[in-house]
Amino acid sequence: MTETKQDTTAVGARTAVVRGLKTLTCPDEGGTKQHSYEDFLEKIYNHVMISWHWGKDIGHVIKQGQDPEIKEPEDLSSADEAKKWKIRLWEQEIDRYGNRIEALKGNKEALYSLVIESLSPMIKSKIKGKQGFQKAEEDTNPTWLLAQLEDIMVRFEEIKPKLMAIDDQMHRIMNLRQGDSTNEEFVKLVAKELKVYEKHGGEFLWGMKQRKDVETRLKDALEKYLDLNGVIMPDDMINEQTRIIKKQLREEIAATAIIKRADKKRYGNLQIQMKNSYLMGNDMYPTSVADVLRILDNYEKEWPSSTKPQVNDNNNEKKRTGVAFTLSQGGAKMNYLRGTNNSFYPAITCNTCGIKGHYQSHCPACDKEGAKIEEEEKKAAEATVEK
């Protein structure tokens, strides 16, 4: 394990040692996995946030891949210029602004050096072979460095036609599955893979519906602004509103991608519930990544994830079980019973039991000969859930 040392400069104090920071190796070396790369960045992020002067700004560079927006102080009004205490506060604000800008510049240079010196020889060689390296080296540009490093670690490199690489990235996203990963780990993984795709291939799953949604939402925003202010929204505000709307739609796409690929053992019932609710006219799908994480972290199963034939030890006959539940539609409660094969058809009424939700051939209220199961046995075989 190597510990990276950093000298202190006049720009601001920087702790000399990043504890526990290992040399980063790429997948081609058979070492570092994706989560290890994330740990690498997380250690640097936590270190600079705590130990570097104005660490929050350089932390933003690491997390967002761009400089933070630092607002310039506004000039004093004529009235304020006549007040000495106002002038003094303004001068202090100017000093803080200048210090913050200078600290960010120095911290970016230090971050570039910290990252580049913590890479394996193979990664350094790959970085130096990238287009734009010479300028990034002269500018000590950590934003460029981190972007190239991310491509290397997810193997999105310029060793094949770009369309082929984009197609590979799409395939990688489509085949993501949560498995045993924690919710937070899986959400981060999907977000990272989507970020890589959007960086090289444009908005993920962006099509006609999204373009129409942007037009509709922007039109509503323009009308509301006109009603409230009596004037047309300025161009710069229109651009900002469009950016916000597109960000919201990208969040919806990401949320859908995550919930669809969540672990079926843990969240299969939730996925079925959302599909059935949408079918009944109630859209329960989350609209943001934060909503997905909140739902997955707090979800509790409402009925068994699967139903299997039960064996009667007395006569060795298989009896079928189902899941009964109630849905509200238009203020009226409707009873449903899922089929023994876990199927659900809300418009179908069983000819045997008279309950909607399944075909007669998969009726959980009948035995394999088609005769009704006794009421006591039926109750024992059903799990009732009210939704």
Side-chain angles (χ1 to χ4, degrees):
M1 181 181 71
T2 61
E3 291 188 336
T4 303
K5 295 189 176 181
Q6 191 80 28
D7 292 334
T8 302
T9 71
V11 174
R14 301 182 185 94
T15 304
V17 176
V18 182
R19 296 186 181 278
L21 186 65
K22 298 180 180 179
T23 298
L24 185 66
T25 57
C26 66
D28 291 343
E29 296 175 88
T32 302
K33 297 181 180 179
Q34 179 67 25
H35 68 82
S36 299
Y37 168 57
E38 292 170 357
D39 289 343
F40 174 83
L41 290 182
E42 194 68 21
K43 280 185 172 65
I44 294 177
Y45 173 79
N46 292 333
H47 174 76
V48 301
M49 286 286 288
I50 297 172
S51 304
W52 289 12
H53 187 55
W54 288 106
K56 185 177 180 181
D57 288 340
I58 195 64
H60 184 278
V61 172
I62 296 173
K63 288 290 187 180
Q64 305 300 325
Q66 61 184 11
D67 289 358
E69 183 179 350
I70 304 177
K71 189 177 180 180
E72 294 184 4
E74 297 180 356
D75 292 336
L76 288 174
S77 64
S78 299
D80 288 340
E81 286 180 350
K83 300 175 182 178
K84 291 183 178 180
W85 69 273
K86 286 276 190 181
I87 294 175
R88 180 58 181 151
L89 289 177
W90 180 75
E91 289 174 344
Q92 291 176 353
E93 185 179 357
I94 294 293
D95 290 340
R96 283 195 298 272
Y97 174 79
N99 290 336
R100 187 176 176 184
I101 293 294
E102 187 66 17
L104 178 59
K105 179 182 177 182
N107 283 341
K108 287 172 67 176
E109 294 174 357
L111 177 62
Y112 183 92
S113 299
L114 171 59
V115 173
I116 201 75
E117 292 303 319
S118 302
L119 305 178
S120 71
M122 180 177 286
I123 296 183
K124 285 182 183 179
S125 177
K126 288 176 178 286
I127 291 290
K128 291 176 181 179
K130 293 282 187 179
Q131 184 177 1
F133 168 74
Q134 200 61 42
K135 187 175 188 310
E137 178 78 1
E138 293 172 359
D139 298 341
T140 55
N141 184 348
T143 304
W144 179 91
L145 177 60
L146 291 173
Q148 304 307 314
L149 182 58
E150 184 173 57
D151 286 349
I152 292 172
M153 297 309 296
V154 298
R155 290 184 170 176
F156 193 104
E157 301 182 64
E158 298 170 0
I159 57 176
K160 61 181 72 173
K162 191 165 187 178
L163 282 177
M164 184 76 73
I166 292 171
D167 183 76
D168 288 346
Q169 182 63 18
M170 172 69 81
H171 182 74
R172 185 179 293 114
I173 293 171
M174 291 302 181
N175 285 283
L176 285 175
R177 294 296 182 270
Q178 182 176 8
D180 296 329
S181 301
T182 66
N183 296 327
E184 185 176 0
E185 288 172 347
F186 183 61
V187 167
K188 285 183 178 179
L189 174 61
V190 175
K192 182 175 288 293
E193 296 293 353
L194 290 176
K195 181 181 177 182
V196 172
Y197 180 89
E198 291 178 350
K199 173 185 173 183
H200 298 280
E203 286 94 345
F204 180 72
L205 296 183
W206 195 272
M208 185 180 296
K209 180 185 182 302
Q210 285 69 37
R211 290 192 291 272
K212 186 175 180 180
D213 285 346
V214 171
E215 293 176 2
T216 302
R217 296 185 189 188
L218 181 59
K219 182 180 178 182
D220 292 342
L222 293 175
E223 290 176 353
K224 289 179 181 178
Y225 186 89
L226 182 60
D227 290 342
L228 289 173
N229 301 282
V231 294
I232 298 175
M233 184 183 291
D235 289 343
D236 59 337
M237 290 187 66
I238 292 176
N239 293 335
E240 177 63 14
Q241 190 66 36
T242 302
R243 186 191 68 79
I244 293 173
I245 292 171
K246 286 185 175 181
K247 182 179 179 181
Q248 291 171 344
L249 290 173
R250 285 197 297 270
E251 280 274 312
E252 292 179 14
I253 292 172
T256 301
I258 293 168
I259 204 71
K260 181 178 180 180
R261 291 161 179 80
D263 181 34
K264 293 190 181 298
K265 291 181 180 179
R266 286 178 279 174
Y267 306 112
N269 284 330
L270 172 64
Q271 293 161 336
I272 293 173
Q273 179 184 1
M274 288 182 173
K275 286 181 181 179
N276 291 339
S277 294
Y278 187 85
L279 184 65
M280 304 300 292
N282 180 22
D283 189 350
M284 295 174 57
Y285 284 97
T287 57
S288 71
V289 174
D291 282 345
V292 171
L293 191 57
R294 176 182 57 81
I295 291 171
L296 296 182
D297 282 344
N298 296 281
Y299 175 72
E300 295 181 5
K301 287 186 178 181
E302 295 184 349
W303 57 76
S305 58
S306 63
T307 57
K308 298 181 179 179
Q310 302 294 321
V311 177
N312 187 324
D313 292 335
N314 295 328
N315 54 19
N316 201 30
E317 287 190 357
K318 293 182 179 179
K319 293 185 178 181
R320 309 179 186 190
T321 62
V323 176
F325 53 95
T326 302
L327 292 180
S328 296
Q329 183 182 25
K333 289 189 174 181
M334 303 174 66
N335 292 320
Y336 293 88
L337 190 61
R338 189 180 299 281
T340 56
N341 62 345
N342 207 30
S343 62
F344 177 64
Y345 302 98
I348 299 299
T349 301
C350 177
N351 293 330
T352 299
C353 68
I355 299 176
K356 288 180 177 291
H358 62 272
Y359 284 98
Q360 182 178 5
S361 58
H362 294 120
C363 180
C366 298
D367 60 23
K368 65 179 182 178
E369 303 299 332
K372 285 189 177 181
I373 298 174
E374 293 298 324
E375 190 66 24
E376 291 300 320
E377 293 177 322
K378 177 182 173 184
K379 286 183 179 179
E382 296 175 355
T384 302
V385 176
E386 181 163 333
K387 174 180 171 186

